[in-house]
Amino acid sequence: MLLKKFKSATCFLTRYRWRLVLGFSSLLLTNLAQALIPRLLGEAVDVLRIDQNNLSRVNTFCLLIFGCTLLRAGFQFSMRYFIIGVSRRVEYLVRNRLFQHLQTLSFSYFNQTKTGDLMARATADVEAVRMVIGPGLMYICNTMVVVPAALFMMFTMSVPLTLMSMFPLVVLSVVMRKFSPKLHQLSKRVQDLLSDLSSRAQESISGVRVIKAFSQERREENSFEAVSKDYLNSNVALARTRGVTVTSIWVLADIGTLILLWVGGGKIINNTLTLGEFVAFNSYHLMLLWPMIALGWVIALYQRGVAAMERIDEVLSTEPEIQDKEGIKEIQSLRGEIEFRNLNFSYGVDHETALSDISFKATAGSTVAIVGPTGSGKSTIVNLVPHLFQVERGMLFIDGMDIHDVPLRLLRNSVGYVPQDAFLFSDTIANNIAYGIHNATDEIIVAAAGAAAVADQIREFPHGFAQRIGERGVNLSGGQKQRISIARAIIRKPTILILDDCLSAVDTETEAKLLEELRRIRKDRTTLVVAHRISTIQDADLILVLDDGKIVERGKHEELVKKGGLYANLFRMQRLQEDLEEIQ
Amino acid sequence: MSDPQDKDFLEEEDEALGKAIDWKILKRLMKYVLPYKKSFTASLAILFLLSWVTLIGPYLIKCAVDGPLTSLANRPDRPVDDVMRDLLGIVFLYMGFISMESILRYAQIVVTNLCGQSIIRSLRKQVFAHVHKMSLSFFDRNPVGKLVTRVTSDVESLSEVFVSGAAIIFEDLFKLILIVAVLFYLSPKLAAVTLLALLPLFLVANIFRIRSRAGYREVRGKIARTNAYLQEAISGLRIIQIFGQEKKSAERFAKRNAELRDAHLDTVKVYSTFYPAVEVVSQLGVVVLLWLGSREIAAGRLSFGQFIQFWFYTKHFFEPIRQLAEKYNVLQAAMASSERIFRVLDSPVEIANPAAPVESKKLSGAIEFDQVTFSYRENDPVLKNVSFKVNPGESVAVVGATGAGKTTIINLIPRFYDVTAGRVLVDGVDVRDYRKQTLRAQIGVVLQDVFLFSGTIADNIKLGEDETITDERIEEVSRHVNASRFINKLPKRFETPVMERGLSLSVGERQLLSFARALAFDPRILILDEATSSVDTETEVLIQSALEKLLKGRTSIIVAHRLSTIQRADRILVIHRGEIREEGNHQELIQKGGLYKKLYLLQYEAQERLKSGSK
């Protein structure tokens, strides 16, 4: 069947079978009721024609017509209500499923796929699919009922007249099939040019500084004008084609009336057709017009739907790169020992090597700090530990087990992670802190915030811990965000704590307080710290100095300072920086 | 936790909706119509004719019904051939009607479109040009996206009015008035009663307009909410996965998605009710017509043909009403868009040319800052009382920590911004007394982030169709600044298209290209914001030697990040917190052991060591 390609959506239809049964029976009934009306009107006209004083019979027809109208209207309501309603419900389910699947995919998938593209699939594409299984299906079924019903009524009145009036309808359907794709093509060109126009404006406004510096405003206007002119021309071309299409719909409808007037009129004169039938014929003809016009529309709809479904299925069929392999051994808990063994890593086949030959061991409960210039691979190292990216076997071990053999759920539940960008959700502060735990009480949340040295500031917000943040709430400073994301990590009491340069926006005074707390918290957990500021990590058990993806120095603070290498230099620079900041 | 702060989530664009007809705005819009008044009048004339023509069809049918179709019944002695001839006559008239209608219809669509699109194009041009006249502080206040929306979407929403909206409104109004007039002419009583029965159509259409509009807004809001969560979840997926919150996050998404579904289901209800309601009301008209018409026929006050004519006309009734209701929303949106567009057009050009500009001449290139204070925001000065002089041909390096005010200094010379207090003088004349174009034509600006336009390499050097810069000149300047080496390696050399925002060129290559661009215009004064990002040693050598050539014989002010650039400068200005703290050459300042020394140790010493290391 035509809907075979839409399996990922139609599989939800069975849930709504009763609604669909009601919808499609309504569809049948509303069309049958509609098909009776012109005939009744014609009969009434004929009654009037034969005996102008038989008004009581005319009254009966009035009532019958109105009765049919009410039936038609009632069933039309339930047809739309059920069929379109089901399509909206299915749309909801498809979108949920798409979202759930997206969440299982690994990070590398999102590095390759644009967010905007995924959003388009979840919105426009799901909508395009709905248009097929809702309105598209409804209109096609409508056509399949209206056409035979109207034709049947017409045949009962006059076979030759019916055959002749089908002529403009057939022409119309050919015209629509021919012009629909062309219209689609032209309007796509108009859309493309509009987006050209838009990116032209975007580029010009973004580069306004250069344009002004070189006094190139006039040239920009001219080049914008050129696109604007193209846009105008393609719009006019579209209008021409649309003009032809719209005009031919009108003309063919009128030709139908013309044939009726000519052939039907002749039949009336010859007494083989009544005036009432003449009137009825005209109505049936109009009734058939719409399905012919809709045909072209539904075809375009279907084509768009198929393409959209393919894009959705592409996402749904993408297997998560990182997931527990079958038959993985259950483990109760982790101690938190991490070992890198000659690890090499790159973000993709065509990417440069991000890490090479990384080896170190963080014993359970110890603190390992990683420093180095921007882009040296510090964050990459800590991102590998919660298995966010895939690594080869035999390179990364947790508690002596290869990371591939550690259940993902357990591993991630044991990790407290503070990301570099301090990503928070647009939700309340309390919900953000309690993000990763069940049934958090207010006390626990406040305690975590206190440990992250941010509780006092939170209390100052108008809604305190219930304050919303992000788009619809207050804007937090970088330092506040970082501390809230620290609270979110430590509230989980993780075995492994990962701090990815999470103090960069915190002022020196707060930093000291926070470090004191962290020292206490760090005591019984393995901690990986990426830091720009040496002061943060001076007391780490092991400091790794990274440069260009390689470990170039390792040791404790004093050893490294004495050594006089990259680390010592970094340390010196930072003291200078602090001095400079203090000059008023 | 329920969120009471959740309610005020409305799209900015939606809130502004108000009147559908605002005479002040309409009057202003009419000014854009004036240049096209011929085609605009033509399109109105066609619409007027068209509404007349639509009336002809039913009239011809009436003639047929009252004439040949019933003449045998009334006068059975008439020869059939006569009657047939009468019918044929009407058929021919009908054919004439069809051809006339088709020509008019086609002409209407094409003429209206051409006229409307031309109007829109000239408006768009004006908005675009006006935006480009604005000063940089305007762009600091208005994000690019918003301005692009003004030039595109807002103009586009107006075009709907000019291209189809206005036309349809006129046609429908003409048609409605004509039909009502003809109905009353045929039979006042029948007309009155039928129209009364059809009156609810207005009501239904209006209720629908309001409900569907509200529903549409609701849906838009929910779509925005669902999308916002989707976007958030994708950018925060790392957190979701590490914290193992996939299920909770899916629930949150499902909640928003369900709200969207319910908003949709509400509109399904509105639409499902609307179409049947229309059907019932318009059929009610037909029933009333039949009921009363039959009585009028029986009384001999109405002919069969007129009855059928009547019936045809009432069928034409509903479409215009529905269209009018729909166009109301379009008008409303267009008025809001016009208001936003006019707001941009009305924002004054802050940095305007002086009324009596100083005569343009070749500058010698002396620059002076005379007690300059500047702030982007009120009471938050970035430069405080800065005074310094640069002699013609001198090269001055500006150094300082991030945010010290270095970039601001160089922004003031080509008058990207106007000073808050004090004066900036070029050749002893306040920059505000020059024509902007004259001033800027003699200042070459090389920015840190090299902005490349889509187009070819050559386009990016000569910046478009500037005919005064020949191909030979382009090649010459490129060779001069060492850019020809990489350009010659490109597939189509100077004709190679640069990808959007220059993604295909490396940082170093873009630097060299921007040098060529500056040199092509041969400025007296060169302003350079040196790139901070490092490039490979080979390119670095090319850049440095190009820079040397570029500076020769020009006055230059350089925000320097490279030690070699600083050392080459005649003088160094050390900026700290918006003030000049130290001034002198490299040796002097190092010996002084103050701010510069610290900056040097922090930013430049490493470069020094690297360089000596690589030697």
Side-chain angles (χ1 to χ4, degrees):
Chain A
M1 222 187 68
L2 281 175
L3 289 178
K4 208 169 70 191
K5 287 187 177 142
F6 291 86
K7 232 185 259 156
S8 315
T10 48
C11 60
F12 294 116
L13 283 177
T14 44
R15 293 187 194 197
Y16 302 112
R17 64 181 85 81
W18 292 114
R19 283 173 182 274
L20 287 175
V21 167
L22 284 173
F24 283 99
S25 355
S26 303
L27 184 144
L28 189 68
L29 292 170
T30 186
N31 282 312
L32 292 183
Q34 187 196 14
L36 281 176
I37 295 173
R39 199 63 209 267
L40 289 170
L41 188 68
E43 294 283 340
V45 169
D46 281 341
V47 166
L48 210 56
R49 209 47 220 124
I50 293 156
D51 180 4
Q52 295 189 347
N53 293 317
N54 197 347
L55 289 176
S56 66
R57 274 207 71 191
V58 174
N59 286 350
T60 321
F61 277 112
C62 282
L63 285 177
L64 278 174
I65 290 173
F66 201 62
C68 276
T69 302
L70 287 179
L71 281 178
R72 149 117 180 114
F75 286 123
Q76 198 185 13
F77 170 82
S78 56
M79 165 188 85
R80 295 192 77 94
Y81 181 76
F82 287 118
I83 297 178
I84 308 289
V86 165
S87 77
R88 287 292 180 195
R89 285 164 218 270
V90 170
E91 177 192 15
Y92 161 79
L93 292 169
V94 172
R95 191 174 288 131
N96 269 354
R97 178 161 162 206
L98 189 65
F99 182 80
Q100 279 161 17
H101 189 78
L102 271 181
Q103 286 200 125
T104 64
L105 296 178
S106 319
F107 215 67
S108 51
Y109 179 80
F110 295 91
N111 278 348
Q112 295 153 18
T113 320
K114 284 192 210 131
T115 307
D117 185 38
L118 291 175
M119 304 258 295
R121 288 178 205 215
T123 51
D125 284 346
V126 174
E127 169 74 21
V129 167
R130 180 200 76 90
M131 287 298 277
V132 174
I133 57 172
L137 195 61
M138 187 174 82
Y139 284 121
I140 284 295
C141 294
N142 230 348
T143 305
M144 292 193 314
V145 179
V146 170
V147 174
L151 283 180
F152 172 78
M153 287 297 193
M154 288 162 90
F155 273 121
T156 58
M157 293 185 289
S158 164
V159 176
L161 190 54
T162 309
L163 292 176
M164 288 198 71
S165 26
M166 275 170 72
F167 163 72
L169 292 172
V170 173
V171 175
L172 182 60
S173 76
V174 172
V175 169
M176 290 313 293
R177 287 192 67 157
K178 186 165 153 24
F179 279 94
S180 277
K182 201 172 168 202
L183 272 178
H184 183 66
Q185 202 184 323
L186 280 169
S187 60
K188 201 173 165 300
R189 169 142 179 80
V190 166
Q191 283 306 314
D192 288 349
L193 278 171
L194 181 63
S195 91
D196 273 5
L197 204 61
S198 175
S199 45
R200 202 61 214 83
Q202 170 106 32
E203 178 181 292
S204 179
I205 295 174
S206 320
V208 76
R209 199 176 275 263
V210 180
I211 293 167
K212 285 186 174 298
F214 289 90
S215 294
Q216 295 297 309
E217 289 94 337
R218 181 56 51 82
R219 171 186 109 78
E220 282 303 305
E221 279 165 35
N222 290 339
S223 108
F224 183 73
E225 256 303 278
V227 187
S228 190
K229 193 166 177 207
D230 277 355
Y231 181 59
L232 179 133
N233 289 338
S234 67
N235 254 314
V236 173
L238 174 64
R240 279 183 211 284
T241 311
R242 185 177 288 149
V244 172
T245 322
V246 172
T247 307
S248 44
I249 292 173
W250 280 92
V251 168
L252 287 165
D254 284 334
I255 288 178
T257 315
L258 181 76
I259 290 172
L260 183 64
L261 197 62
W262 192 358
V263 181
K267 283 183 176 300
I268 292 178
I269 295 169
N270 292 330
N271 258 329
T272 46
L273 194 78
T274 66
L275 195 60
E277 285 171 333
F278 176 85
V279 170
F281 239 101
N282 195 307
S283 289
Y284 285 123
H285 189 259
L286 290 178
M287 209 182 272
L288 287 176
L289 210 58
W290 169 239
M292 297 303 141
I293 299 169
L295 207 62
W297 182 70
V298 172
I299 288 169
L301 206 79
Y302 181 77
Q303 285 165 344
R304 240 169 298 158
V306 169
M309 193 75 244
E310 274 167 12
R311 281 192 293 269
I312 292 171
D313 278 336
E314 194 185 284
V315 176
L316 290 179
S317 61
T318 307
E319 291 267 335
E321 192 193 5
I322 299 167
Q323 53 184 340
D324 289 340
K325 58 178 192 330
E326 277 182 43
I328 196 162
K329 251 195 293 172
E330 278 295 320
I331 300 165
Q332 286 313 306
S333 66
L334 294 175
R335 283 177 295 119
E337 185 193 281
I338 303 164
E339 191 186 352
F340 282 68
R341 241 182 247 168
N342 307 105
L343 178 135
N344 296 314
F345 178 79
S346 77
Y347 282 100
V349 202
D350 43 353
H351 285 68
E352 285 172 42
T353 319
L355 295 174
S356 48
D357 203 23
I358 301 290
S359 293
F360 72 90
K361 190 167 177 178
T363 50
S366 70
T367 296
V368 174
I370 306 167
V371 295
T374 315
S376 57
K378 300 178 301 249
S379 289
T380 309
I381 290 190
V382 295
N383 276 330
L384 293 179
V385 173
H387 212 169
L388 282 179
F389 295 95
Q390 194 60 290
V391 290
E392 276 174 52
R393 267 188 167 276
M395 289 185 164
L396 179 53
F397 299 84
I398 309 286
D399 283 8
M401 291 173 287
D402 193 296
I403 196 160
H404 291 258
D405 300 328
V406 182
L408 208 54
R409 172 93 301 148
L410 172 71
L411 174 66
R412 290 184 177 166
N413 272 337
S414 317
V415 166
Y417 177 84
V418 185
Q420 204 171 7
D421 58 355
F423 183 90
L424 297 176
F425 292 93
S426 21
D427 199 338
T428 63
I429 293 179
N431 283 348
N432 263 295
I433 294 177
Y435 188 67
I437 58 170
H438 299 293
N439 4 310
T441 62
D442 287 354
E443 289 78 51
I444 300 178
I445 293 173
V446 174
V454 70
D456 292 339
Q457 286 181 19
I458 294 173
R459 284 197 196 92
E460 278 167 26
F461 288 124
H463 299 266
F465 278 81
Q467 177 68 48
R468 269 195 155 274
I469 49 179
E471 215 174 334
R472 281 164 291 155
V474 295
N475 278 320
L476 299 177
S477 74
Q480 287 168 335
K481 276 196 207 161
Q482 287 184 338
R483 279 172 286 151
I484 289 174
S485 84
I486 291 173
R488 176 176 64 190
I490 57 187
I491 202 173
R492 307 183 86 192
K493 302 200 178 2
T495 319
I496 299 170
L497 183 63
I498 295 175
L499 307 170
D500 189 357
D501 195 19
C502 61
L503 294 173
S504 54
V506 175
D507 61 89
T508 342
E509 200 182 323
T510 323
E511 187 189 357
K513 220 161 88 189
L514 197 54
L515 284 177
E516 193 53 45
E517 278 297 333
L518 282 178
R519 212 159 284 145
R520 191 176 56 76
I521 292 163
R522 260 170 22 199
K523 230 180 283 166
D524 43 356
R525 44 195 112 243
T526 316
T527 310
L528 292 184
V529 197
V530 170
H532 255 119
R533 257 186 253 171
I534 305 277
S535 53
T536 329
I537 50 134
Q538 282 175 8
D539 60 342
D541 300 306
L542 173 67
I543 296 171
L544 304 173
V545 184
L546 228 62
D547 194 17
D548 202 19
K550 294 184 202 72
I551 297 177
V552 290
E553 287 170 29
R554 64 171 78 208
K556 289 200 178 243
H557 178 71
E558 285 75 21
E559 298 165 24
L560 289 171
V561 170
K562 243 181 262 163
K563 204 172 160 194
L566 193 55
Y567 183 85
N569 197 38
L570 273 173
F571 185 54
R572 201 168 55 89
M573 294 288 206
Q574 261 164 40
R575 308 253 305 255
L576 275 168
Q577 178 88 47
E578 282 159 25
D579 282 359
L580 202 65
E581 272 163 22
E582 275 157 30
I583 298 175
Q584 275 310 309
Chain B
M1 266 179 232
S2 79
D3 25 47
Q5 303 146 53
D6 217 42
K7 298 233 162 60
D8 49 4
F9 192 62
L10 276 178
E11 296 266 299
E12 179 215 345
E13 314 286 292
D14 263 9
E15 274 177 310
L17 281 192
K19 282 186 272 185
I21 306 246
D22 185 325
W23 290 110
K24 247 170 51 201
I25 292 178
L26 272 184
K27 228 169 106 188
R28 203 165 160 184
L29 284 176
M30 279 317 283
K31 279 200 203 121
Y32 293 89
V33 176
L34 269 175
Y36 304 94
K37 58 172 179 285
K38 262 192 201 149
S39 56
F40 191 74
T41 330
S43 120
L44 278 187
I46 294 174
L47 286 169
F48 189 66
L49 284 176
L50 202 54
S51 46
W52 276 98
V53 168
T54 349
L55 292 180
I56 296 177
Y59 176 72
L60 288 176
I61 290 175
K62 178 233 156 201
C63 291
V65 170
D66 282 348
L69 299 192
T70 48
S71 70
L72 276 183
N74 299 335
R75 286 170 49 202
D77 51 323
R78 262 192 91 187
V80 174
D81 285 353
D82 269 14
V83 180
M84 279 301 196
R85 212 174 24 247
D86 285 357
L87 179 64
L88 212 60
I90 294 174
V91 165
F92 277 122
L93 282 175
Y94 203 90
M95 278 179 185
F97 148 73
I98 293 179
S99 23
M100 202 149 82
E101 188 188 21
S102 56
I103 292 167
L104 284 173
R105 233 168 241 294
Y106 181 76
Q108 182 259 319
I109 294 171
V110 174
V111 172
T112 325
N113 202 288
L114 189 62
C115 168
Q117 293 286 356
S118 308
I119 295 170
I120 287 306
R121 182 179 151 204
S122 70
L123 178 66
R124 187 185 291 122
K125 181 181 173 180
Q126 199 199 349
V127 180
F128 185 86
H130 189 79
V131 166
H132 279 75
K133 285 202 193 85
M134 305 310 285
S135 72
L136 283 188
S137 52
F138 176 81
F139 295 95
D140 294 341
R141 287 195 303 269
N142 296 288
V144 176
K146 202 167 133 190
L147 294 173
V148 174
T149 310
R150 295 296 165 273
V151 182
T152 54
S153 318
D154 277 334
V155 172
E156 211 48 34
S157 117
L158 243 179
S159 92
E160 250 196 82
V161 173
F162 278 114
V163 173
S164 61
I168 288 174
I169 288 170
F170 281 124
E171 189 191 344
D172 289 343
L173 278 179
F174 286 149
K175 229 191 220 159
L176 278 181
I177 293 168
L178 278 175
I179 290 177
V180 171
V182 173
L183 288 186
F184 272 97
Y185 171 78
L186 288 177
S187 160
K189 189 173 160 197
L190 197 52
V193 176
T194 316
L195 286 184
L196 213 61
L198 286 174
L199 213 54
L201 270 184
F202 285 99
L203 198 68
V204 171
N206 208 36
I207 291 176
F208 173 70
R209 183 182 66 74
I210 294 165
R211 296 269 323 254
S212 67
R213 171 90 207 153
Y216 175 71
R217 283 182 69 166
E218 182 80 9
V219 166
R220 279 264 304 261
K222 300 295 181 200
I223 287 179
R225 249 173 83 85
T226 313
N227 277 348
Y229 188 75
L230 186 64
Q231 176 146 30
E232 187 174 281
I234 292 175
S235 35
L237 193 71
R238 191 192 317 222
I239 301 296
I240 294 174
Q241 288 185 346
I242 293 179
F243 286 75
Q245 297 298 304
E246 288 92 342
K247 217 170 141 200
K248 209 158 128 191
S249 163
E251 278 164 19
R252 292 182 70 180
F253 179 77
K255 193 180 141 220
R256 284 162 177 77
N257 194 10
E259 282 173 11
L260 173 60
R261 177 198 61 200
D262 294 340
H264 273 313
L265 287 178
D266 279 346
T267 63
V268 169
K269 248 182 258 169
V270 172
Y271 279 86
S272 308
T273 322
F274 174 65
Y275 291 113
V278 166
E279 189 95 11
V280 170
V281 175
S282 39
Q283 284 293 344
L284 187 67
V286 174
V287 170
V288 167
L289 176 67
L290 184 58
W291 179 74
L292 193 66
S294 57
R295 272 147 190 84
E296 294 290 296
I297 292 173
R301 280 194 292 266
L302 193 74
S303 74
F304 260 98
Q306 285 172 325
F307 172 76
I308 287 169
Q309 193 184 356
F310 231 106
W311 176 63
F312 269 103
Y313 285 153
T314 52
K315 286 216 291 208
H316 277 302
F317 220 79
F318 182 65
E319 193 50 24
I321 294 177
R322 193 184 67 86
Q323 288 278 5
L324 281 176
E326 200 171 87
K327 290 306 162 209
Y328 186 88
N329 290 341
V330 172
L331 265 184
Q332 223 176 9
M335 289 296 146
S337 286
S338 321
E339 224 182 307
R340 285 194 293 266
I341 292 171
F342 288 146
R343 220 177 299 149
V344 170
L345 287 180
D346 290 342
S347 38
V349 177
E350 286 156 19
I351 295 190
N353 280 325
V358 169
E359 279 298 302
S360 59
K361 50 170 181 174
K362 186 88 177 158
L363 294 176
S364 67
I367 300 168
E368 185 183 350
F369 272 55
D370 179 17
Q371 308 219 323
V372 170
T373 296
F374 179 81
S375 48
Y376 291 99
R377 278 180 310 259
E378 241 171 283
N379 299 325
D380 185 13
V382 186
L383 292 182
K384 289 172 244 171
N385 244 337
V386 170
S387 293
F388 66 89
K389 263 188 193 171
V390 184
N391 299 318
E394 199 184 8
S395 170
V396 169
V398 181
V399 299
T402 316
K406 294 169 294 184
T407 310
T408 309
I409 288 188
I410 60 172
N411 272 336
L412 294 179
I413 302 168
R415 220 185 148 206
F416 286 152
Y417 297 90
D418 273 342
V419 293
T420 313
R423 291 186 304 165
V424 175
L425 307 164
V426 170
D427 275 18
V429 177
D430 194 317
V431 288
R432 286 170 290 192
D433 292 335
Y434 288 105
R435 276 186 74 232
K436 279 186 288 180
Q437 292 76 358
T438 317
L439 177 71
R440 289 175 186 166
Q442 307 204 42
I443 302 177
V445 182
V446 177
L447 298 167
Q448 212 184 94
D449 178 21
V450 178
F451 190 91
L452 294 181
F453 295 93
S454 52
T456 64
I457 296 275
D459 287 340
N460 267 290
I461 293 175
K462 64 176 179 180
L463 285 175
E465 297 91 34
D466 195 334
E467 292 307 330
T468 55
I469 299 174
T470 60
D471 288 354
E472 290 76 44
R473 175 88 181 129
I474 293 174
E475 296 211 18
E476 187 195 318
V477 296
S478 306
R479 209 168 28 246
H480 200 66
V481 299
N482 306 328
S484 49
R485 182 121 54 110
F486 86 84
I487 294 173
N488 285 333
K489 279 188 203 146
L490 296 173
K492 286 200 233 148
R493 302 185 64 236
F494 285 90
E495 297 311 312
T496 312
V498 183
M499 265 166 56
E500 201 168 297
R501 297 223 70 187
L503 288 174
S504 57
L505 294 180
S506 78
V507 177
E509 289 165 345
R510 295 169 66 175
Q511 281 284 312
L512 293 176
L513 200 59
S514 75
F515 285 175
R517 184 192 279 171
L519 188 63
F521 286 80
D522 192 20
R524 284 303 305 145
I525 299 171
L526 187 76
I527 286 172
L528 176 69
D529 197 351
E530 206 169 32
T532 40
S533 43
S534 51
V535 294
D536 59 275
T537 333
E538 196 188 347
T539 316
E540 182 65 38
V541 172
L542 290 179
I543 288 178
Q544 288 303 330
S545 90
L547 191 57
E548 192 159 347
K549 293 180 202 162
L550 196 57
L551 297 183
K552 209 168 177 184
R554 295 172 221 283
T555 311
S556 58
I557 295 194
I558 308 166
V559 172
H561 296 290
R562 303 257 194 291
L563 185 64
S564 43
T565 314
I566 300 175
Q567 286 172 333
R568 185 178 300 121
D570 298 320
R571 202 145 43 100
I572 299 166
L573 299 177
V574 183
I575 310 282
H576 193 69
R577 298 190 196 273
E579 287 169 72
I580 296 184
R581 293 295 177 86
E582 290 169 16
E583 197 175 337
N585 69 29
H586 179 68
Q587 291 309 325
E588 291 164 13
L589 292 175
I590 287 287
Q591 272 159 22
K592 200 171 170 191
L595 249 171
Y596 181 75
K597 175 99 188 276
K598 282 211 165 64
L599 274 169
Y600 167 73
L601 290 174
L602 188 64
Q603 293 178 357
Y604 308 109
E605 198 213 2
Q607 293 175 23
E608 176 97 310
R609 274 192 298 131
L610 251 169
K611 236 165 76 183
S612 57
S614 67
K615 263 175 196 164

